[in-house]
Each structure stands twice: as C-alpha cells, then as structure tokens.
C-alpha cells in the first residue's frame, strides 16, 4: 500500500485527505488502516506524535462509522486540551465530505454548559480529556452505550498526569463489545497494566519508536558547565541564524529563567510551562505558530500539545532522565521531509547520562565546540545571505530614484557596509568578549555531581504535568532554602507582605530572595534560612549582611503583578 488510493477508504475520505496533501500513508498508517478495517481485535500501537497517528486511527473508523445513527460511536481520550482540539480539527478535516458526521471536543478549562449545548447536536464522535468526560458523564450529558471504537491517545502521558482513576471509570462506562486502540509513545509499566486490564489479546504495532530514530536529524552536543550554560546557549542560537526552535528544559522554573534570559537579550522568545494559565499558554502557542516568536522555551509536558512541522532546531538545555524523552523531543524537528538539528547542552559531570542516552537510543551524537565570537559572526553573515536570497514576493514598489548616488563605492564595499549595519549589535557584543573556556566531560562522572547540581538547581520541582502537582520533597530540597530551621545570629528574619492567597510558593520565595540579593556588589550568595508561608503573609530568614540589598531591591520588584514589601520582623 503505497498510495491512499490503494486503500479501501471511501471516496469522500480520499477526497478530503487529497485536499490536505496526503498522498502516501505514513508507516503507522500503512500498518493500522488495514488492521482496523478488517480486524476486530484490540490494538496497542507504540507511536509518537508526528507519525501521523491521528489519521491512522480516524480514517478507517470514519470509513466504518454509521452516519444514519445519532449515537456516540467513537470516543477518543487524550491528555491535554491542545491535543484534544488538534485531533478534533483533524477528524473534522477528514470527514469534511461526510455531511452527517459530527465531532465534538470536550475538555477542561472551558465552559461546560457550552459543551453540553453542543452535545445536543448528537455527534457520533467525541474527543475529550478524561476529567471533563467524567464531569459530563456525571451530568448525564454523555451516553457511551453505543460506542464501537475507543482510542486512548498518548496513554502514557494520561497516566503520568494522574488520570488513571478517570480512565478506569470511563472504560467501565463503555460496552464490552467495543474495540479499543491504545496509542502511546512509551510502554511504561502503568500502560502495560492498563492494557492488561482493559484490552483483550491486543495486536501490537510499533512505529517510529526508539528503534526507529529519524535519520534526517543531525545530533550534536556541547559541554558547558552550570555557570556557562546561558552564554553557551546564546552562542548556539547566534551561530544558527534564522532558526525556528524549541528549547527543552526540565523544570518550570528553569524554563521561565531561560526564557527571561533570552527575552532580556533581545530574542523573540517566550516560555511555555504548567505554571501559566490556560489562556497564557494559548497565547504563547499562537505567537509561536504564527512565528511572532521564533524560540519557544518549554517543559516536555507543556510542549506536548503543540503541533508544528517546521522546526529547524531542537535544543536540549537540560537532559531528560528518560532516553525515550530525548528521542521524542528531537523528533520534533526534521519533520515533513525537512532536515533538522538537535543540539544538546551537557554539563561536564553528565557523561554517564549521555552515554546512557547514546546506548539506549543508538543515536550518534557528535561532540562540537561552543562557537567563538568570530564563528558566530561568520554564521550570521551566512544567515543574512540565506534570508536575502530566500524566494519572497516584492513587498512594495521601489522607486530607484530613492537610492542615492553610490558610484563612489565598489559592490564589495556596499555589501560590507550593509553587513556592518545589519550585524552591528551582535558584533559589539562579541567584540571584546572572551570565548568560553573549553570544558571536558568528566570521565569520573558520579552521582555526587548530579546531586550537587540538583541541589544547585534549588530543588526545582520536576514538571509534573498540567495539574501543577509538586513533590514536597523536591520543593523542600532548596539550594539554600531547604536547610533545616535554624536560629542563627547571622540571620535576619523578615516579614513579607505576600502569602498563600497570592499563590506564593517556597520556590518563589527562594527565587525572589536570590534576585533581590544578587544585585549587590558582593559575588557571594546570601544564605537563606527558614521560610514560612502563611495565608496572607510570610516570613523568611536571610543572612544579615544582605539585609540592605534585600530591603532596597525587593520594594521595586513584583510578584504576579503585585508589589512586594519586606521589613525586619520583630
Ligand atoms: P500526528 O502524528 O497525527 O500528530 O500527525 C503529524 C502531522 O502529519 C499532522 O500535521 C498531519 O496532518 C500530518 N500527516 C498525517 N498523515 C499524513 C500523510 N499521510 N501525509 C502527509 N502528512 C500527514
């Protein structure tokens, strides 16, 4: 089956996908479409986003759905609102010429009453997130008694986001006779357990998983110590001009910090992570899709719902723990037949982690050197010419009379002048700047190194999905704030005007203190003692010698738009 026209799909579907430009089925579609059309067994498909899995399950089901019935026959469950909207859009596109087929999306963070109203249209297809689906079942707005097909999409992600109970409740609401398809990027123990309990002798398909890493992605890694990382990142961005990229970080805090650093340095960048409200996340994703920003700094979870095909680079600012996540991240570039580059920043003490990723994924990751200022400028000149000769329309009528007499200059002199003009800011930045001291991977990589780093990362909590759960253990393991309560003569106790009602967390206080005390002349970092967050206000302890810095800086800072005030507590 090399062309869609060789499948048995109906002319209405073929016409719709033809208009979308789909000619040949992707690997997962080649395996899944004939199976679903002809087999009644359940299915487990190991496939990642970007493999064409939405069409893989929805095209054959659309082919078989009964458009004379107005009962729900097909249910797709997925982890996030973004993915829910994306799948709904895809299914609506595929069923464009099936006029009696209706698809409704139901997801949290949006009016339930409006969704109940749209269910009155009697759709045959529901795409939903587990929490909202349960709400609607409880309100008797959804009747799953006639379901034929159930898809669990990104099952691993739904489980890691804590939707296990919801999934089990929903599964128990659907008829035993249905056919279930479980799609997952990874086969975790939890996924294995759910499939054992709820799928019957499933057929297994594996596509684009860890063993089928894309060949059109160039992988390179750069060694940079903790203190060099941001400067190294800047150089890597500057030496890859005209990029459209996602930078992956491990925690929400790191994500925000890296995005802030880039924005402060004039890049069109923004952050995407679970601490943002749904509306803020929507805005950031829209800006990125429209290319109003060209660098998105994101956590793995937050970036899941984002479907863009034209990324030139993926940058791993921090390594993930799971090698499969590395493959998944990298696979976001090099799509739609284009080449991609995956750049990894590695700290000297992370050699073991790198080795593990290389050996599990079988990806060749070549070491490269962080560019010198001169190399950055060279790359930028190349970038100017690349975008200059890109095919583009004439944007405006240009009157030659507007050009002054340039006969005194040679062609080369003019080009030189234009380049100087175009790259002035960058050239000034790199002019007298020392290149980064070369770092080597530490062959005696040990756990102490990574532990030290983790501590230095101020106990940044691992991103735990969109729901904002945090590990108390990691939250309390602070760089300087996680120390046990101590009464120390060197410490001053401060009253702080914000508290739980302002959504202030311990990590926020650490961050605020670090910012307020790092402006002083002293390079030394302030000791932080006990932090106590109460309903309306808080207390914290900071090393005495930083008292002046803290009091003067904090009053000009804001937290979630609110003014901050600190004073010495009695
Ligand atoms: P998915 O894995 O479902 O998120 O799909 C990834 C992207 O590939 C989406 O933008 C789809 O529209 C696109 N796509 C899916 N199947 C095909 C196909 N056979 N040919 C071309 N593009 C496709």
């Amino acid at each position: 089956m090399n062309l869609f026209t060789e499948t048995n799909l109906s002319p209405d579907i073929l016409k719709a996908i033809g208009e979308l430009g789909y000619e040949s089925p992707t690997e997962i579609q080649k395996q899944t479409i004939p199976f679903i059309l002809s087999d009644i067994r359940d299915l487990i498909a190991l496939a990642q986003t970007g493999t064409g899995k939405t069409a893989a399950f929805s095209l054959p089901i659309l082919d078989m759905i009964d458009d004379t019935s107005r009962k729900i026959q097909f249910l797709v469950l997925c982890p996030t609102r973004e993915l829910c909207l994306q799948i709904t859009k895809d299914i609506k596109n595929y069923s464009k010429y099936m006029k009696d087929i209706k698809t409704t999306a139901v997801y949290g963070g949006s009016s339930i009453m409006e969704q109940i109203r749209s269910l009155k249209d009697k759709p045959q297809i529901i795409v939903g997130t587990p929490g909202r689906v349960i709400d609607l079942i409880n309100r008797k707005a959804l009747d799953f008694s006639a379901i034929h097909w159930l898809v669990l999409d990104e099952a691993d992600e739904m489980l890691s986001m804590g939707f296990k109970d919801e999934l089990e409740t929903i599964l128990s609401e659907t008829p035993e006779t249905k056919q279930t398809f479980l799609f997952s990027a990874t086969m975790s123990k939890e996924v294995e357990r759910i499939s054992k309990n709820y799928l019957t002798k499933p057929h297994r398909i594996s596509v684009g998983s860890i063993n089928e890493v894309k060949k059109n992605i160039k992988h390179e890694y750069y060694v940079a110590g903790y203190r060099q990382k941001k400067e190294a990142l800047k150089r890597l961005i500057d030496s890859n001009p005209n990029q459209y990229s996602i930078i992956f970080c491990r925690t929400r805090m790191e994500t925000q910090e890296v995005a802030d650093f880039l924005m402060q340095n004039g890049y069109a960048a923004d952050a995407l992570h679970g601490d943002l409200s749904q509306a803020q996340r929507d805005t950031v994703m829209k800006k990125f899709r429209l290319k109003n920003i060209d660098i998105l700094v994101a956590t793995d979870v937050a970036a899941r719902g984002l479907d863009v095909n034209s990324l030139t680079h993926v940058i791993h600012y921090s390594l993930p723990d799971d090698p499969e996540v590395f493959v998944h991240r990298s696979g976001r570039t090099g799509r739609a037949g284009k080449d991609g580059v995956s750049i990894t920043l590695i700290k000297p003490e992370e050699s073991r982690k790198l080795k593990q990723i290389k050996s599990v994924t079988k990806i060749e990751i070549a070491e490269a050197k962080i560019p010198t200022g001169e190399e950055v400028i060279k790359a930028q000149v190349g970038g100017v010419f690349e975008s200059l000769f890109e095919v583009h329309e004439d944007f405006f009528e240009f009157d030659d009379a507007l050009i002054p007499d340039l006969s005194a200059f040679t062609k080369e002199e003019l080009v030189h002048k234009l380049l100087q003009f175009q790259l002035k800011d960058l050239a000034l930045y790199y002019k007298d700047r020392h290149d980064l001291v070369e770092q080597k991977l530490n062959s005696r990589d040990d756990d102490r190194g990574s532990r030290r780093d983790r501590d230095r990362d101020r106990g940044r909590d691992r991103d735990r999905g969109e729901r904002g759960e945090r590990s108390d253990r990691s939250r309390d393991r602070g760089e300087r704030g996680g120390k046990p309560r101590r009464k120390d003569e060197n410490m001053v106790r401060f009253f702080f005007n914000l508290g739980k009602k302002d959504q202030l967390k311990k990590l926020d206080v650490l961050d605020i203190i670090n910012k307020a005390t790092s402006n002083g002349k002293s390079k030394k970092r302030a000791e932080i003692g006990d932090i106590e967050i109460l309903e309306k206000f808080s207390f914290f302890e900071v090393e005495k010698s930083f008292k002046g810095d803290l009091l003067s800086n904090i009053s000009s800072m804001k937290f979630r738009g609110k003014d901050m005030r600190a004073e010495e507590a009695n």
Side-chain angles (χ1 to χ4, degrees), residues 4 17 20-26 28-29 48-57 59 83 86-87 90 93-94 153 307-309 335-336:
F4 276 111
I17 58 174
L20 293 171
Y22 297 9
E23 288 172 4
S24 354
T26 63
I28 182 112
Q29 292 161 1
Q48 300 167 357
T49 302
T51 49
K53 63 187 162 75
T54 314
F57 60 73
L59 298 181
L83 191 59
Q86 180 67 38
I87 296 172
D90 288 346
N93 280 335
Y94 304 148
D153 196 16
D307 185 37
V308 280
N309 276 333
R335 283 199 190 169

mmCIF file of all heavy atoms in Angstrom, residues 4 17 20-26 28-29 48-57 59 83 86-87 90 93-94 153 307-309 335-336, ligand 1:
data_model
loop_
_atom_site.group_PDB
_atom_site.id
_atom_site.type_symbol
_atom_site.label_atom_id
_atom_site.label_comp_id
_atom_site.label_asym_id
_atom_site.label_seq_id
_atom_site.Cartn_x
_atom_site.Cartn_y
_atom_site.Cartn_z
ATOM 1 N N PHE A 4 -2.708 6.300 -0.899
ATOM 2 C CA PHE A 4 -4.006 6.189 -0.238
ATOM 3 C C PHE A 4 -5.055 5.616 -1.188
ATOM 4 O O PHE A 4 -5.987 4.947 -0.763
ATOM 5 C CB PHE A 4 -4.454 7.553 0.284
ATOM 6 C CG PHE A 4 -3.880 7.871 1.630
ATOM 7 C CD1 PHE A 4 -2.938 8.868 1.801
ATOM 8 C CD2 PHE A 4 -4.290 7.151 2.748
ATOM 9 C CE1 PHE A 4 -2.420 9.147 3.044
ATOM 10 C CE2 PHE A 4 -3.771 7.417 3.995
ATOM 11 C CZ PHE A 4 -2.830 8.425 4.147
ATOM 12 N N ILE A 17 -8.640 13.920 2.265
ATOM 13 C CA ILE A 17 -7.201 13.863 2.590
ATOM 14 C C ILE A 17 -6.361 14.302 1.394
ATOM 15 O O ILE A 17 -5.272 14.843 1.553
ATOM 16 C CB ILE A 17 -6.746 12.487 3.141
ATOM 17 C CG1 ILE A 17 -7.024 11.355 2.171
ATOM 18 C CG2 ILE A 17 -7.359 12.193 4.492
ATOM 19 C CD1 ILE A 17 -6.449 10.020 2.622
ATOM 20 N N LEU A 20 -5.809 17.786 1.667
ATOM 21 C CA LEU A 20 -4.825 18.123 2.711
ATOM 22 C C LEU A 20 -3.398 17.830 2.248
ATOM 23 O O LEU A 20 -2.432 18.071 2.957
ATOM 24 C CB LEU A 20 -5.099 17.301 3.979
ATOM 25 C CG LEU A 20 -6.389 17.609 4.730
ATOM 26 C CD1 LEU A 20 -6.630 16.586 5.831
ATOM 27 C CD2 LEU A 20 -6.330 19.008 5.340
ATOM 28 N N GLY A 21 -3.296 17.254 1.049
ATOM 29 C CA GLY A 21 -1.967 16.968 0.510
ATOM 30 C C GLY A 21 -1.421 15.613 0.923
ATOM 31 O O GLY A 21 -0.239 15.325 0.710
ATOM 32 N N TYR A 22 -2.226 14.753 1.541
ATOM 33 C CA TYR A 22 -1.744 13.425 1.900
ATOM 34 C C TYR A 22 -1.787 12.557 0.648
ATOM 35 O O TYR A 22 -2.845 12.375 0.061
ATOM 36 C CB TYR A 22 -2.632 12.740 2.940
ATOM 37 C CG TYR A 22 -2.750 13.384 4.297
ATOM 38 C CD1 TYR A 22 -2.243 14.645 4.569
ATOM 39 C CD2 TYR A 22 -3.388 12.700 5.327
ATOM 40 C CE1 TYR A 22 -2.386 15.208 5.832
ATOM 41 C CE2 TYR A 22 -3.541 13.256 6.580
ATOM 42 C CZ TYR A 22 -3.041 14.519 6.825
ATOM 43 O OH TYR A 22 -3.192 15.068 8.067
ATOM 44 N N GLU A 23 -0.655 12.004 0.255
ATOM 45 C CA GLU A 23 -0.645 11.098 -0.893
ATOM 46 C C GLU A 23 -0.364 9.680 -0.442
ATOM 47 O O GLU A 23 -1.141 8.764 -0.673
ATOM 48 C CB GLU A 23 0.412 11.534 -1.908
ATOM 49 C CG GLU A 23 0.009 12.793 -2.646
ATOM 50 C CD GLU A 23 1.113 13.333 -3.509
ATOM 51 O OE1 GLU A 23 2.190 12.694 -3.596
ATOM 52 O OE2 GLU A 23 0.900 14.403 -4.106
ATOM 53 N N SER A 24 0.790 9.529 0.224
ATOM 54 C CA SER A 24 1.101 8.169 0.671
ATOM 55 C C SER A 24 0.928 8.079 2.174
ATOM 56 O O SER A 24 1.258 9.026 2.915
ATOM 57 C CB SER A 24 2.537 7.783 0.354
ATOM 58 O OG SER A 24 3.144 8.765 -0.385
ATOM 59 N N PRO A 25 0.457 6.923 2.629
ATOM 60 C CA PRO A 25 0.298 6.723 4.071
ATOM 61 C C PRO A 25 1.652 6.689 4.764
ATOM 62 O O PRO A 25 2.638 6.228 4.176
ATOM 63 C CB PRO A 25 -0.372 5.351 4.179
ATOM 64 C CG PRO A 25 -0.700 4.927 2.799
ATOM 65 C CD PRO A 25 0.051 5.754 1.838
ATOM 66 N N THR A 26 1.691 7.163 5.989
ATOM 67 C CA THR A 26 2.921 7.046 6.783
ATOM 68 C C THR A 26 3.003 5.604 7.288
ATOM 69 O O THR A 26 2.056 4.839 7.144
ATOM 70 C CB THR A 26 2.877 8.003 7.989
ATOM 71 O OG1 THR A 26 1.794 7.597 8.827
ATOM 72 C CG2 THR A 26 2.663 9.448 7.573
ATOM 73 N N ILE A 28 2.887 4.224 10.232
ATOM 74 C CA ILE A 28 1.844 3.756 11.168
ATOM 75 C C ILE A 28 0.505 3.593 10.444
ATOM 76 O O ILE A 28 -0.272 2.690 10.739
ATOM 77 C CB ILE A 28 1.712 4.709 12.388
ATOM 78 C CG1 ILE A 28 0.660 4.185 13.379
ATOM 79 C CG2 ILE A 28 1.246 6.088 12.018
ATOM 80 C CD1 ILE A 28 1.224 3.750 14.642
ATOM 81 N N GLN A 29 0.261 4.469 9.472
ATOM 82 C CA GLN A 29 -0.999 4.363 8.719
ATOM 83 C C GLN A 29 -1.020 3.090 7.872
ATOM 84 O O GLN A 29 -2.035 2.420 7.756
ATOM 85 C CB GLN A 29 -1.199 5.611 7.850
ATOM 86 C CG GLN A 29 -1.451 6.859 8.691
ATOM 87 C CD GLN A 29 -1.212 8.164 7.957
ATOM 88 O OE1 GLN A 29 -0.860 8.173 6.772
ATOM 89 N NE2 GLN A 29 -1.376 9.281 8.660
ATOM 90 N N GLN A 48 4.727 7.898 18.269
ATOM 91 C CA GLN A 48 4.834 9.226 18.852
ATOM 92 C C GLN A 48 4.050 10.224 18.029
ATOM 93 O O GLN A 48 3.693 9.947 16.895
ATOM 94 C CB GLN A 48 6.299 9.653 18.867
ATOM 95 C CG GLN A 48 7.123 8.709 19.683
ATOM 96 C CD GLN A 48 8.591 8.905 19.479
ATOM 97 O OE1 GLN A 48 9.004 9.718 18.668
ATOM 98 N NE2 GLN A 48 9.376 8.170 20.211
ATOM 99 N N THR A 49 3.859 11.402 18.617
ATOM 100 C CA THR A 49 3.238 12.497 17.875
ATOM 101 C C THR A 49 4.101 12.792 16.660
ATOM 102 O O THR A 49 5.315 12.719 16.750
ATOM 103 C CB THR A 49 3.164 13.746 18.782
ATOM 104 O OG1 THR A 49 2.425 13.367 19.918
ATOM 105 C CG2 THR A 49 2.476 14.889 18.093
ATOM 106 N N GLY A 50 3.470 13.088 15.555
ATOM 107 C CA GLY A 50 4.239 13.405 14.359
ATOM 108 C C GLY A 50 4.379 12.226 13.422
ATOM 109 O O GLY A 50 4.916 12.357 12.328
ATOM 110 N N THR A 51 3.892 11.060 13.826
ATOM 111 C CA THR A 51 3.998 9.889 12.951
ATOM 112 C C THR A 51 2.752 9.746 12.071
ATOM 113 O O THR A 51 2.697 8.880 11.215
ATOM 114 C CB THR A 51 4.137 8.600 13.788
ATOM 115 O OG1 THR A 51 3.110 8.602 14.789
ATOM 116 C CG2 THR A 51 5.478 8.511 14.466
ATOM 117 N N GLY A 52 1.753 10.601 12.295
ATOM 118 C CA GLY A 52 0.513 10.523 11.520
ATOM 119 C C GLY A 52 -0.496 9.593 12.178
ATOM 120 O O GLY A 52 -1.352 8.999 11.539
ATOM 121 N N LYS A 53 -0.411 9.495 13.513
ATOM 122 C CA LYS A 53 -1.263 8.507 14.193
ATOM 123 C C LYS A 53 -2.734 8.918 14.223
ATOM 124 O O LYS A 53 -3.602 8.067 14.222
ATOM 125 C CB LYS A 53 -0.729 8.185 15.586
ATOM 126 C CG LYS A 53 -0.718 9.349 16.531
ATOM 127 C CD LYS A 53 -0.011 8.949 17.803
ATOM 128 C CE LYS A 53 0.419 10.129 18.608
ATOM 129 N NZ LYS A 53 -0.651 10.804 19.316
ATOM 130 N N THR A 54 -3.003 10.218 14.231
ATOM 131 C CA THR A 54 -4.418 10.641 14.270
ATOM 132 C C THR A 54 -5.155 10.116 13.043
ATOM 133 O O THR A 54 -6.245 9.555 13.137
ATOM 134 C CB THR A 54 -4.508 12.180 14.339
ATOM 135 O OG1 THR A 54 -3.587 12.629 15.311
ATOM 136 C CG2 THR A 54 -5.909 12.627 14.678
ATOM 137 N N ALA A 55 -4.536 10.287 11.870
ATOM 138 C CA ALA A 55 -5.177 9.774 10.649
ATOM 139 C C ALA A 55 -5.179 8.247 10.669
ATOM 140 O O ALA A 55 -6.117 7.608 10.187
ATOM 141 C CB ALA A 55 -4.422 10.286 9.422
ATOM 142 N N ALA A 56 -4.150 7.666 11.279
ATOM 143 C CA ALA A 56 -4.052 6.200 11.294
ATOM 144 C C ALA A 56 -5.277 5.578 11.949
ATOM 145 O O ALA A 56 -5.808 4.583 11.469
ATOM 146 C CB ALA A 56 -2.783 5.773 12.028
ATOM 147 N N PHE A 57 -5.755 6.162 13.056
ATOM 148 C CA PHE A 57 -6.942 5.546 13.658
ATOM 149 C C PHE A 57 -8.234 6.148 13.148
ATOM 150 O O PHE A 57 -9.237 5.471 13.021
ATOM 151 C CB PHE A 57 -6.878 5.540 15.197
ATOM 152 C CG PHE A 57 -6.786 6.889 15.878
ATOM 153 C CD1 PHE A 57 -7.871 7.739 15.940
ATOM 154 C CD2 PHE A 57 -5.612 7.293 16.500
ATOM 155 C CE1 PHE A 57 -7.796 8.964 16.590
ATOM 156 C CE2 PHE A 57 -5.524 8.521 17.160
ATOM 157 C CZ PHE A 57 -6.624 9.359 17.197
ATOM 158 N N LEU A 59 -9.087 7.577 10.087
ATOM 159 C CA LEU A 59 -9.557 7.315 8.706
ATOM 160 C C LEU A 59 -10.333 5.990 8.610
ATOM 161 O O LEU A 59 -11.456 5.975 8.091
ATOM 162 C CB LEU A 59 -8.382 7.335 7.715
ATOM 163 C CG LEU A 59 -7.631 8.669 7.590
ATOM 164 C CD1 LEU A 59 -6.504 8.567 6.558
ATOM 165 C CD2 LEU A 59 -8.575 9.793 7.235
ATOM 166 N N LEU A 83 -4.145 18.956 22.525
ATOM 167 C CA LEU A 83 -4.192 17.762 21.687
ATOM 168 C C LEU A 83 -5.639 17.450 21.307
ATOM 169 O O LEU A 83 -5.933 17.055 20.176
ATOM 170 C CB LEU A 83 -3.554 16.589 22.445
ATOM 171 C CG LEU A 83 -3.293 15.341 21.614
ATOM 172 C CD1 LEU A 83 -2.377 15.636 20.445
ATOM 173 C CD2 LEU A 83 -2.675 14.237 22.476
ATOM 174 N N GLN A 86 -6.591 19.624 18.527
ATOM 175 C CA GLN A 86 -5.876 19.227 17.309
ATOM 176 C C GLN A 86 -6.519 17.986 16.676
ATOM 177 O O GLN A 86 -6.752 17.948 15.467
ATOM 178 C CB GLN A 86 -4.409 18.931 17.689
ATOM 179 C CG GLN A 86 -3.517 18.512 16.548
ATOM 180 C CD GLN A 86 -3.306 19.652 15.566
ATOM 181 O OE1 GLN A 86 -3.190 20.797 15.964
ATOM 182 N NE2 GLN A 86 -3.305 19.347 14.274
ATOM 183 N N ILE A 87 -6.820 16.994 17.511
ATOM 184 C CA ILE A 87 -7.419 15.759 16.978
ATOM 185 C C ILE A 87 -8.799 16.066 16.389
ATOM 186 O O ILE A 87 -9.158 15.591 15.314
ATOM 187 C CB ILE A 87 -7.532 14.687 18.102
ATOM 188 C CG1 ILE A 87 -6.140 14.287 18.584
ATOM 189 C CG2 ILE A 87 -8.307 13.468 17.631
ATOM 190 C CD1 ILE A 87 -6.129 13.396 19.815
ATOM 191 N N ASP A 90 -8.409 17.656 13.073
ATOM 192 C CA ASP A 90 -8.014 16.666 12.065
ATOM 193 C C ASP A 90 -9.219 15.821 11.638
ATOM 194 O O ASP A 90 -9.463 15.632 10.450
ATOM 195 C CB ASP A 90 -6.906 15.741 12.611
ATOM 196 C CG ASP A 90 -5.565 16.458 12.730
ATOM 197 O OD1 ASP A 90 -5.428 17.547 12.156
ATOM 198 O OD2 ASP A 90 -4.667 15.935 13.414
ATOM 199 N N ASN A 93 -11.538 17.681 9.500
ATOM 200 C CA ASN A 93 -10.983 17.814 8.139
ATOM 201 C C ASN A 93 -11.189 16.526 7.343
ATOM 202 O O ASN A 93 -11.577 16.559 6.178
ATOM 203 C CB ASN A 93 -9.487 18.116 8.198
ATOM 204 C CG ASN A 93 -9.226 19.570 8.482
ATOM 205 O OD1 ASN A 93 -10.071 20.419 8.194
ATOM 206 N ND2 ASN A 93 -8.069 19.869 9.046
ATOM 207 N N TYR A 94 -10.895 15.391 7.997
ATOM 208 C CA TYR A 94 -11.012 14.118 7.271
ATOM 209 C C TYR A 94 -12.463 13.804 6.910
ATOM 210 O O TYR A 94 -12.739 13.106 5.938
ATOM 211 C CB TYR A 94 -10.452 12.948 8.109
ATOM 212 C CG TYR A 94 -9.008 13.125 8.563
ATOM 213 C CD1 TYR A 94 -8.563 12.594 9.771
ATOM 214 C CD2 TYR A 94 -8.091 13.840 7.786
ATOM 215 C CE1 TYR A 94 -7.255 12.767 10.201
ATOM 216 C CE2 TYR A 94 -6.785 14.018 8.222
ATOM 217 C CZ TYR A 94 -6.377 13.487 9.425
ATOM 218 O OH TYR A 94 -5.086 13.670 9.853
ATOM 219 N N ASP A 153 -5.387 7.960 23.429
ATOM 220 C CA ASP A 153 -4.244 8.562 22.742
ATOM 221 C C ASP A 153 -3.250 9.108 23.768
ATOM 222 O O ASP A 153 -3.643 9.698 24.763
ATOM 223 C CB ASP A 153 -4.731 9.680 21.819
ATOM 224 C CG ASP A 153 -3.668 10.050 20.811
ATOM 225 O OD1 ASP A 153 -2.716 9.262 20.635
ATOM 226 O OD2 ASP A 153 -3.773 11.115 20.189
ATOM 227 N N ASP A 307 1.662 21.295 17.841
ATOM 228 C CA ASP A 307 1.973 20.557 16.623
ATOM 229 C C ASP A 307 2.502 21.525 15.571
ATOM 230 O O ASP A 307 1.740 22.238 14.933
ATOM 231 C CB ASP A 307 0.690 19.868 16.139
ATOM 232 C CG ASP A 307 0.972 18.977 14.954
ATOM 233 O OD1 ASP A 307 2.037 18.357 14.928
ATOM 234 O OD2 ASP A 307 0.119 18.929 14.048
ATOM 235 N N VAL A 308 3.814 21.598 15.444
ATOM 236 C CA VAL A 308 4.381 22.417 14.366
ATOM 237 C C VAL A 308 5.351 21.545 13.572
ATOM 238 O O VAL A 308 6.081 20.745 14.146
ATOM 239 C CB VAL A 308 5.128 23.685 14.875
ATOM 240 C CG1 VAL A 308 4.170 24.797 15.205
ATOM 241 C CG2 VAL A 308 6.005 23.387 16.048
ATOM 242 N N ASN A 309 5.303 21.702 12.274
ATOM 243 C CA ASN A 309 6.091 20.797 11.438
ATOM 244 C C ASN A 309 7.406 21.382 10.955
ATOM 245 O O ASN A 309 8.200 20.680 10.365
ATOM 246 C CB ASN A 309 5.267 20.375 10.222
ATOM 247 C CG ASN A 309 4.367 19.205 10.581
ATOM 248 O OD1 ASN A 309 4.689 18.444 11.486
ATOM 249 N ND2 ASN A 309 3.253 19.092 9.891
ATOM 250 N N ARG A 335 10.836 17.212 10.475
ATOM 251 C CA ARG A 335 9.558 16.654 10.038
ATOM 252 C C ARG A 335 9.249 17.076 8.613
ATOM 253 O O ARG A 335 9.889 17.950 8.071
ATOM 254 C CB ARG A 335 8.442 17.196 10.936
ATOM 255 C CG ARG A 335 8.408 16.521 12.275
ATOM 256 C CD ARG A 335 7.054 16.771 12.881
ATOM 257 N NE ARG A 335 7.001 16.352 14.255
ATOM 258 C CZ ARG A 335 5.994 16.650 15.055
ATOM 259 N NH1 ARG A 335 4.989 17.358 14.626
ATOM 260 N NH2 ARG A 335 5.993 16.213 16.289
ATOM 261 N N ALA A 336 8.235 16.460 8.073
ATOM 262 C CA ALA A 336 7.714 16.804 6.746
ATOM 263 C C ALA A 336 8.827 16.850 5.702
ATOM 264 O O ALA A 336 8.906 17.766 4.880
ATOM 265 C CB ALA A 336 6.959 18.132 6.809
HETATM 266 P P1 LIG B 1 0.076 13.267 14.034
HETATM 267 O O1 LIG B 1 1.116 12.252 14.355
HETATM 268 O O2 LIG B 1 -1.288 12.664 13.905
HETATM 269 O O3 LIG B 1 0.096 14.413 15.007
HETATM 270 O O4 LIG B 1 0.389 13.870 12.575
HETATM 271 C C1 LIG B 1 1.517 14.664 12.312
HETATM 272 C C2 LIG B 1 1.334 15.569 11.099
HETATM 273 O O5 LIG B 1 1.432 14.819 9.891
HETATM 274 C C3 LIG B 1 -0.017 16.279 11.058
HETATM 275 O O6 LIG B 1 0.248 17.633 10.726
HETATM 276 C C4 LIG B 1 -0.770 15.589 9.947
HETATM 277 O O7 LIG B 1 -1.651 16.497 9.307
HETATM 278 C C5 LIG B 1 0.348 15.131 9.024
HETATM 279 N N1 LIG B 1 0.042 13.878 8.292
HETATM 280 C C6 LIG B 1 -0.555 12.780 8.779
HETATM 281 N N2 LIG B 1 -0.606 11.806 7.851
HETATM 282 C C7 LIG B 1 -0.017 12.291 6.741
HETATM 283 C C8 LIG B 1 0.250 11.751 5.440
HETATM 284 N N3 LIG B 1 -0.082 10.519 5.108
HETATM 285 N N4 LIG B 1 0.871 12.541 4.561
HETATM 286 C C9 LIG B 1 1.230 13.788 4.900
HETATM 287 N N5 LIG B 1 1.026 14.355 6.096
HETATM 288 C C10 LIG B 1 0.405 13.626 7.016
#
